[in-house]
Amino acid sequence: MPNPSKRPNPSPDPSHGSPVLARLAERPQVDFELDFYEALLLRIADFADVLRAQASNLTAKGLLKEGLKVDQKLVQLRPEDPTAHYNLACRYALLKQPDLALNTLRRAVELGYRDFRFMIQDQDLDSVRKDPRFRAILREYGSR
């Protein structure tokens, strides 16, 4: 006769018994990542990959000014990184700062950013796409 106390456990519910895990399970992924990356950056303030992810998450949540600060820090840490400059240009464009957006975009391209197909379609750059300086960057560097 089988022993009832030896029944196999059903799949464990990760939130069962833990109010902390229950709260985490109810949160959107981006909120979890924002808190996680913030805690990580308190320990390792110059962790470039985490800064990049944090800026993206802040922007996804509509926290553009906070994302801008993170992108600015990333560019300070990695002044020769074309992607860091490109992301900063996008943040400026989202904040309707066309001069800063286009100057930073030009710098990204000067440093080697070459995904012009993406640049043309990137919705983050919608506010500067019709600016003649945007088209000038494409003409000048896109033909190289």
Side-chain angles (χ1 to χ4, degrees), residues 106 109-111 114 116 137-144:
R106 176 173 287 282
V109 173
E110 288 169 353
L111 290 169
R114 290 293 183 271
F116 297 111
I137 291 169
L138 294 176
R139 275 194 310 273
E140 185 177 346
Y141 291 94
S143 62
R144 292 184 184 181

Side-chain angles (χ1 to χ4, degrees), residues 29-31 33-34 37 41 48-72 74 83-84 87-88 90-91 94 118 122 124:
Q29 181 70 25
V30 70
D31 291 338
E33 289 180 12
L34 282 168
Y37 292 148
L41 289 168
D49 291 332
V50 172
L51 287 166
R52 190 178 320 258
Q54 188 72 332
S56 178
N57 284 337
L58 287 165
T59 299
K61 289 288 289 186
L63 302 170
L64 299 177
K65 290 180 182 178
E66 292 83 348
L68 175 67
K69 290 176 188 172
V70 175
D71 279 325
Q72 288 170 329
L74 187 57
T83 303
N87 290 336
L88 179 58
C90 289
R91 230 60 77 212
L94 288 167
F118 180 72
D122 190 346
D124 289 353

Side-chain angles (χ1 to χ4, degrees), residues 70-122:
V70 175
D71 279 325
Q72 288 170 329
K73 181 175 182 173
L74 187 57
V75 164
Q76 287 176 337
L77 290 170
R78 302 186 70 178
E80 302 302 314
D81 182 339
T83 303
H85 283 81
Y86 179 82
N87 290 336
L88 179 58
C90 289
R91 230 60 77 212
Y92 284 133
L94 288 167
L95 288 164
K96 308 288 191 247
Q97 297 178 22
D99 294 335
L100 288 170
L102 291 163
N103 289 338
T104 307
L105 184 62
R106 176 173 287 282
R107 182 68 182 138
V109 173
E110 288 169 353
L111 290 169
Y113 187 88
R114 290 293 183 271
D115 194 348
F116 297 111
R117 185 173 297 147
F118 180 72
M119 189 186 304
I120 291 168
Q121 298 172 356
D122 190 346

Side-chain angles (χ1 to χ4, degrees), residues 22-35:
R23 280 195 314 274
L24 287 175
E26 294 172 2
R27 296 179 67 200
Q29 181 70 25
V30 70
D31 291 338
F32 171 80
E33 289 180 12
L34 282 168
D35 290 344

